[in-house]
Amino acid sequence: MAAADGELPRIAVVGAGIFARTQYIPRLREIAHLVVLKSIWSRTKESAEAAVELARDFAPEIECRWGDAGLEEIMGDASIAGVAVVLAGQVQVELSLKMLKAGKHVIQATMEAETALSVYNSFPNQFPHKPIWALAENYRFEPAFVESRKLMSDIGDMMNIQVIIEGSMNSSNPYFNSSWRRNFVGGFILDMGVHFIAGLRMLVGSEIATVSSISRHVDKALPPPDNICSLFQLENGCAGVFVFAVNSRSPKILWRVDGTKGTVQIERGVDSGKHGYQVLFSSEAGQCQTTFYPFCGVNEELKAFVHDIVQANKDGDHKAEWRSSYVEGARDVAVLEAMLESSEKQGALVQVKKF
């Protein structure tokens, strides 16, 4: 389950879809001095081979794995310390738990959380220390949110919060026809929304206690629901609105917190050809400061995962950094699930489940 002292840790990528090819492989290339990509798995040999060739330039000894036999080979390979699970939401938790039971550290996105956490926490003590289960694709690692959280102490008491998401999930988006996102309750609202909730929770530093929501199915080309409007209240008493349209003619994504002494706003944008976030900070003196942070969250969370593996190798009982803790993912999902539950009850107030 661990690399020998002085060796770079070895990991496998389980999944060879769009996100694995366009995000994980390029990001792993950037941190090839920190980690060795040992193998890539897919359901079919052809898909696995295509993904492996994309990584061959920085992982010349990479191995191709496919099918059930390929999964067994990864689980049985003592040289592989960690696994990045990049699969459809309906199957990734089950497969992640298999990898964890085999003693592998795991990083994955989050969909289903409560039952998975219960299973993970009930693992027998078959290893000296429980493998790390880390959360991927979450905005807590984006520098824009890291730095904006530091600014929150300068805006005084929070008065109100706005989260406005006007997405662009149309036929030109490579994920538009993703079958698994269309075949589970919550659809794109849940799949996309967990990231925006993660950003909100990272920014405000207070848990969401209650929600009251109305959702609708407007765009019939999308699975229901495709619009949701929610009023939420933090545990500290501050209220806010979360407005999310999966597809809009005028895409906009922003988080804004107004305080008694200033305002912090994060907005998705482009600067000098780079995609990222524009952070606006308005101070009590009326001065306005803007800073642009390019996207690099996937890179940062992978580096954190590798660091956690190395530390676990050194001191044994090492937990994932709090930002990538799977419990945080469960809390993100719980907010969205409460919003969807409230909508089913015609906007009734719903308490967000605690973890």
Side-chain angles (χ1 to χ4, degrees), residues 272-285:
S272 302
K274 293 183 177 181
H275 290 262
Y277 298 97
Q278 191 81 40
V279 174
L280 180 149
F281 170 61
S282 299
S283 69
E284 188 175 20

Side-chain angles (χ1 to χ4, degrees), residues 11-12 24 81-87 92-93 95-97 99-100 103-113 116-117 120-121 123 130-141 195 297-310 312 318-330 332:
I11 69 169
Y24 272 77
V83 178
V85 177
V86 197
L87 294 172
Q92 65 179 351
V93 168
L95 203 146
S96 291
L97 288 169
M99 291 292 167
L100 288 162
K104 308 300 182 188
H105 302 298
V106 170
I107 184 169
Q108 66 151 104
T110 183
M111 279 294 115
E112 194 281 328
L117 271 175
Y120 176 62
N121 290 331
F123 275 4
K130 190 172 293 186
I132 292 166
W133 195 2
L135 176 66
E137 302 168 45
N138 80 80
Y139 288 9
R140 280 174 280 269
F141 281 89
H195 307 304
V298 174
N299 186 298
E300 294 301 312
E301 69 193 16
L302 282 172
K303 287 195 290 186
F305 180 56
V306 172
H307 171 76
D308 286 336
I309 291 175
V310 172
H318 181 77
K319 303 294 191 297
E321 183 188 336
W322 76 268
R323 288 181 295 168
S324 59
S325 164
Y326 201 77
V327 173
E328 291 300 316
D332 297 335

